[in-house]
Amino acid sequence: MPKVGSIPRSATVAWSSSNEHSGLLAAGTVAGAISDTFDSTSHLDVFSLDLQGGAELPLVGSLACNDRFSRLTWGTKGVADGSLPYGLLAAGTANGSVQIVDPGRLISRHDAPVVATIDSHSGPVRGLEFNPAVPELLASGAAESEVFITDLTNPSTPRVVSPGAKSPGPGADISCVAWNRRVTHILASTSHNGLSVVWDLKLKKPVINFTNSANRGQRNSVIAWNPEVATQIIVASEDDAFPSMQIWDLRNAFAPVKELTGHSKGILTASWCPQDENLLISSGKDNRTLCWDPATGEVLCELPPSANWTFDVQWSPCLPALLSSASFSGEVAVHSLADASATAGAEETGADGFSVQEPHAGKPMIRAPKWLRRPCGASFGFGGKLVRFSHKSSEVTIEDVPSDTGVVARAEQLRAALEAGDLAGFCAHKAEAAPSERDADDWKLMEVLCSHDQRTLVLGFLGLVDPNAPPPAEPQAEAAYEPQYEPQYEAQPEPVTPATPEPQPPLQDVNPEELFSQMAIATERQMSQASELDAMGAAATPPAPDDGASPMPPEPAAEPPARAGPLETAPAPDDPDVSLAMLNGNFATAVEVCLAQGRVADALILAASGGEELWAATRDQYLASNKSAFMSRLSAVVHQDFDRYVAESSLPAWKETLALIHTYASAEALQGLCNLLGERLEAEAGDASAAVLCYMCAANTVKAVELWHARYSEQSAGAAGGGGGGGAEAGSLLELLEKAVVLQEATQIKDGYPLIAEQLTAFAELLAAQGCLHEAMGYLVQLPPAETVDDPAALLMHRIHGANPNLLMAPPPVPYDVVHVPESSAAQAGYQPQAGYQPQAGYQPQ
């Protein structure tokens, strides 16, 4: 399996601990091994990591030494302040000395890279480590249970102290020392006699020691702290009879909490990953390098096996996934965790008697390491859900997070108005906050349609209420009037009908003399009074005085005659033709003579006495003689011919036309008349805003929604062309849907929804994205059943039902084609596993 890089020698190694130089690796010739050429020299070298892969690492610095090395460690002393850019390198030799080397000098080929030499130990220094939090402190351990702390505040003059008194009993070689990663003044050491000691530098004494009660004489090789749990430590045994690693919790140091068994022979080295506390790597005399999950005791993967013992494995402190392994086969290899496989090869016995394993392609690591896992994450789900997690907790949190609170607030306001039946109040609020006068008019008229006094309010909306009109008189019991038609929506309690007129007396009960005599007499009276005033003014002018005569004061002007009452008029001249016709009962001739003389009042009075036909003919002749707008309205009211009046009325005066038909037309004819007026406004005048008001009065939801939809399409196209944001488009869509919903709820006519099915579905999807599933489903159920299986509304309804099945009494139709997949011939013939496949225990093929 390919490696990141390699060094062709048997050496103990140390990674650079500084981020600035994380790609440097120090290698010192290991004691107790000899090369194929029997070379007995010793070198301390620094190599640079080459990530090209597989190549020999380039040498950047080398130092010839007299002694070989048992342990190396590389600290960050001086990196922070720049006094030692590469830090310090400590090398424990086989003769008991510790050499302090400046890697910067070594790389730059300086004559004196060795800063100091410490000769405090009497045997091989196998335990050596810089304090990761206090880089001036160096811990070392050697023979006779010697553990020392060296203060390198001044590297050239190190100061060596003891952490405390030795443990009682015979001395033993210290095999490993380790600083606690969480508590900087705690140090642990283990020895070949199986005793592990925890030292407290503040107290300057050991605080606890422990050993395996089941195998007190075991030979410990490694001790390492959990990088996250301050009280958890692992101890490895290189005893072939007891090849295991024990995890201890010092809160109860009487027995280990977990034991990791997987090596067949003693464990020589182990390293706890500093970036992931759930990764631990170990190597043993069985030539295997295993990666463990210490929490579960499970082997996650295995590195390619070596041909000889691997005596040193170390994780890179700054480069996740990289680790080094040094073996007695004469190679230091740098691996990436991607090189690991989940299975190992078959074990074989080499010619030298050692057990070796041939690598083969295996599965990758069975779980991702911590540095590849997200420390936190979040994802939006359907229905405005947000799913989030954090590495600090094992819980997954699901919560509602609306992204557009404005849409949610408006949807909730509309729902509250519908549930409370307060559509009029909702319309009034929308009219006050409308962005344009056109929208305000729409909402004001819908407020009128939602009320119970529609006639008065419609006239008020049109601005045609007479402020001086007296309130309607209370009807007398004997003169009670029964309307000739039923209100269109009287049987429904909630629906609101279009504006209908107050009941008017039937035309046959109108007194024609009172109606027309007042109009004609008033006209003649005005003409007569004007003539009399002119004559009186001329008579009151005094004549001019004669010469020499004294002027006389003028006579006071006569008082003008009193103004005639409503039914009073000047006496008509005596016409013998009229009198003769009356004496003979010929009212038709008398009427004809009066009309010819312009005596309209006399003609109407005579016609009223001459029978219904003469009266109707005289009335129609009078109405036809005047083409003014007022007479056109009066003719329409008299003849109840509102269809003709609406078809011929002036479109600029559409408000007067709408008011007239609301006042006098019957409920049965009102809708058709409002529709006719709206069609004329839309087709002839191109006034869509006025037309939609007429359609609303007609309860024509289809046409009203159609015009609103056309306006919404124009606004959406303008927003897209002008670079407007999605907020403006969402606002226009919401305005369209609010109007359509309120109008159709007010009239209880739901014919307009199919016209805006696409927009209604988009709005429902917008509500569902904000978590308003109830409101979204309420709109979708207003649409007709889907005609195709891939209908967007049906798909959305299916998703909403899946998120909350309680919104519908029964599941909606499945919006997918159901395809029956027949069983394949291979399945019918029986399941045949692939070559080399072994089914799990208990597995039964289908």
Side-chain angles (χ1 to χ4, degrees):
M1 184 170 289
K3 298 181 286 291
V4 176
S6 62
I7 303 171
R9 69 190 63 184
S10 295
T12 181
V13 299
W15 288 88
S16 173
S17 299
S18 65
N19 292 322
E20 294 81 358
H21 307 289
S22 58
L24 297 180
L25 188 69
T29 307
V30 67
I34 193 170
S35 64
D36 295 339
T37 61
F38 293 91
D39 184 8
S40 59
T41 60
S42 176
H43 293 84
L44 180 60
D45 303 324
V46 177
F47 296 88
S48 177
L49 186 63
D50 183 7
L51 296 180
Q52 297 298 323
E56 182 177 333
L57 299 184
L59 178 67
V60 296
S62 181
L63 175 66
C65 303
N66 296 325
D67 300 311
R68 295 196 171 190
F69 304 98
S70 301
R71 185 80 64 185
L72 298 182
T73 183
W74 197 332
T76 58
K77 163 63 181 172
V79 174
D81 58 12
S83 59
L84 296 168
Y86 290 86
L88 283 179
L89 181 64
T93 64
N95 66 355
S97 66
V98 178
Q99 295 182 359
I100 307 300
V101 180
D102 182 355
R105 295 183 179 182
L106 185 63
I107 294 173
S108 62
R109 306 296 196 274
H110 195 276
D111 294 337
V114 179
V115 178
T117 301
I118 305 170
D119 296 319
S120 301
H121 293 287
S122 57
V125 182
R126 295 188 176 90
L128 194 64
E129 186 176 55
F130 276 105
N131 190 317
V134 187
E136 293 83 7
L137 300 182
L138 174 66
S140 57
E144 300 298 327
S145 301
E146 294 176 344
V147 176
F148 293 121
I149 306 297
T150 303
D151 184 359
L152 295 172
T153 302
N154 186 356
S156 59
T157 57
R159 186 171 61 93
V160 180
V161 297
S162 174
K166 294 182 181 180
S167 301
D173 291 345
I174 299 295
S175 58
C176 187
V177 294
W179 291 99
N180 191 294
R181 265 46 181 177
R182 291 295 178 182
V183 186
T184 59
H185 60 274
I186 297 298
L187 176 71
S189 63
T190 191
S191 58
H192 285 165
N193 64 358
L195 180 65
S196 300
V197 181
V198 177
W199 307 82
D200 189 331
L201 269 63
K202 287 186 176 180
L203 300 178
K204 296 183 178 180
K205 65 177 182 180
V207 293
I208 192 172
N209 58 72
F210 56 94
T211 186
N212 184 9
S213 58
N215 187 18
R216 294 186 179 275
Q218 74 179 24
R219 186 181 174 92
N220 291 341
S221 57
V222 178
I223 192 167
W225 291 96
N226 188 316
E228 296 294 334
V229 183
T231 60
Q232 200 170 92
I233 197 169
I234 192 168
V235 178
S237 168
E238 64 174 85
D239 192 345
D240 290 345
F242 199 78
S244 68
M245 292 182 290
Q246 296 175 335
I247 299 177
W248 295 75
D249 192 330
L250 299 185
R251 293 171 295 183
N252 179 14
F254 293 100
V257 295
K258 190 180 295 295
E259 189 168 353
L260 308 181
T261 57
H263 288 280
S264 59
K265 293 185 179 181
I267 299 170
L268 297 176
T269 180
S271 178
W272 214 321
C273 181
Q275 293 89 11
D276 188 350
E277 71 278 9
N278 291 322
L279 291 180
L280 176 74
I281 197 160
S282 64
S283 294
K285 300 176 184 178
D286 55 0
N287 302 341
R288 300 179 67 188
T289 301
L290 304 179
C291 185
W292 306 77
D293 184 349
T296 62
E298 180 183 12
V299 177
L300 300 178
C301 60
E302 181 174 357
L303 291 181
S306 62
N308 210 325
W309 293 357
T310 298
F311 58 87
D312 186 16
V313 291
Q314 292 186 40
W315 293 95
S316 170
C318 301
L319 300 175
L322 292 184
L323 56 94
S324 62
S325 64
S327 67
F328 288 118
S329 59
E331 182 185 51
V332 175
V334 178
H335 297 275
S336 171
L337 202 60
D339 296 338
S341 63
T343 56
E347 185 174 286
E348 298 180 0
T349 302
D352 55 359
F354 288 100
S355 296
V356 298
Q357 291 177 325
E358 294 297 330
H360 64 76
K363 297 180 180 179
M365 186 174 174
I366 61 177
R367 72 165 177 82
K370 189 174 182 178
W371 57 84
L372 294 181
R373 286 177 280 167
R374 298 178 180 176
C376 60
S379 178
F380 284 100
F382 179 74
K385 301 294 184 182
L386 176 67
V387 183
R388 58 185 177 87
F389 66 91
S390 172
H391 72 283
K392 297 180 180 179
S393 173
S394 59
E395 297 180 353
V396 176
T397 304
I398 302 177
E399 55 189 344
D400 294 324
V401 181
S403 58
D404 193 339
T405 55
V407 171
V408 175
R410 292 177 64 175
E412 291 178 352
Q413 290 174 1
L414 179 57
R415 184 183 68 171
L418 292 172
E419 292 178 352
D422 186 21
L423 291 179
F426 179 80
C427 295
H429 172 73
K430 294 295 295 183
E432 293 178 359
S436 65
E437 183 178 356
R438 180 175 178 178
D439 291 324
D441 288 342
D442 291 345
W443 287 114
K444 289 177 182 178
L445 183 55
M446 275 191 280
E447 181 183 2
V448 170
L449 299 180
C450 294
S451 66
H452 299 286
D453 189 11
Q454 296 179 26
R455 175 181 176 273
T456 304
L457 294 178
V458 165
L459 294 178
F461 166 75
L462 297 173
L464 299 175
V465 171
D466 184 4
N468 300 320
E474 293 293 334
Q476 300 296 328
E478 63 273 14
Y481 171 73
E482 296 295 334
Q484 297 179 351
Y485 57 88
E486 295 291 331
Q488 183 174 359
Y489 301 108
E490 185 178 4
Q492 302 178 1
E494 290 295 332
V496 181
T497 65
T500 55
E502 291 289 332
Q504 300 295 323
L507 293 179
Q508 57 268 24
D509 295 340
V510 176
N511 188 348
E513 295 183 9
E514 184 178 359
L515 177 63
F516 287 100
S517 294
Q518 292 184 19
M519 294 186 293
I521 291 171
T523 302
E524 291 186 358
R525 182 178 64 248
Q526 293 174 0
M527 297 174 62
S528 176
Q529 289 177 354
S531 300
E532 291 176 1
L533 289 175
D534 292 339
M536 292 172 59
T541 304
D546 295 337
D547 294 341
S550 60
M552 295 296 292
E555 293 293 333
E559 291 288 331
R563 190 170 184 177
L567 298 179
E568 295 178 359
T569 184
D574 190 7
D575 190 325
D577 294 336
V578 175
S579 299
L580 183 61
M582 288 180 60
L583 292 175
N584 289 275
N586 191 357
F587 288 99
T589 302
V591 168
E592 184 179 353
V593 172
C594 289
L595 289 176
Q597 296 177 357
R599 297 163 57 185
V600 178
D602 294 342
L604 292 174
I605 293 173
L606 291 169
S609 302
E612 183 177 352
E613 292 183 2
L614 180 59
W615 157 252
T618 305
R619 178 197 62 191
D620 293 345
Q621 186 177 356
Y622 170 72
L623 293 175
S625 65
N626 194 331
K627 300 298 184 180
S628 65
F630 169 75
M631 295 305 293
S632 298
R633 298 191 190 103
L634 183 58
S635 177
V637 173
V638 171
H639 294 98
Q640 288 288 288
D641 189 7
F642 296 109
D643 290 331
R644 179 179 178 182
Y645 173 71
V646 172
E648 297 176 354
S649 63
S650 173
L651 292 181
W654 67 269
K655 290 186 178 181
E656 289 78 2
T657 305
L658 187 61
L660 184 72
I661 60 179
H662 269 82
T663 303
Y664 294 103
S666 64
E668 292 81 358
L670 180 62
Q671 288 190 358
L673 295 171
C674 291
N675 275 326
L676 178 58
L677 181 58
E679 290 171 358
R680 287 194 63 204
L681 288 169
E682 182 182 3
E684 299 177 24
D687 191 350
S689 59
V692 76
L693 297 177
C694 296
Y695 291 138
M696 291 167 63
C697 291
N700 191 342
T701 58
V702 173
K703 289 297 296 183
V705 172
E706 180 181 336
L707 292 180
W708 284 333
H709 181 221
R711 185 183 178 198
Y712 163 74
S713 300
E714 294 176 1
Q715 292 177 342
S716 299
E729 184 176 357
S732 299
L733 175 62
L734 189 54
E735 186 77 12
L736 168 66
L737 268 297
E738 286 175 338
K739 289 180 180 179
V741 170
V742 173
L743 179 61
Q744 295 182 106
E745 288 294 329
T747 60
Q748 287 297 298
I749 300 176
K750 307 296 181 67
D751 296 338
Y753 284 126
L755 297 176
I756 53 171
E758 181 180 352
Q759 287 72 27
L760 189 64
T761 304
F763 181 58
E765 188 173 2
L766 179 62
L767 291 177
Q770 309 305 317
C772 303
L773 300 182
H774 178 75
E775 292 83 351
M777 185 65 82
Y779 292 128
L780 292 176
V781 296
Q782 304 294 338
L783 295 175
E787 298 180 357
T788 58
V789 294
D790 58 348
D791 182 72
L795 293 172
L796 181 59
M797 183 180 294
H798 189 265
R799 293 192 67 187
I800 295 177
H801 180 265
N804 188 353
N806 298 324
L807 295 178
L808 294 176
M809 298 295 294
V814 178
Y816 309 105
D817 285 328
V818 179
V819 178
H820 176 68
V821 180
E823 188 177 7
S824 64
S825 58
Q828 294 176 356
Y831 177 80
Q832 298 295 331
Q834 298 179 358
Y837 175 80
Q838 296 297 328
Q840 299 178 358
Y843 173 79
Q844 296 294 330
Q846 299 292 330

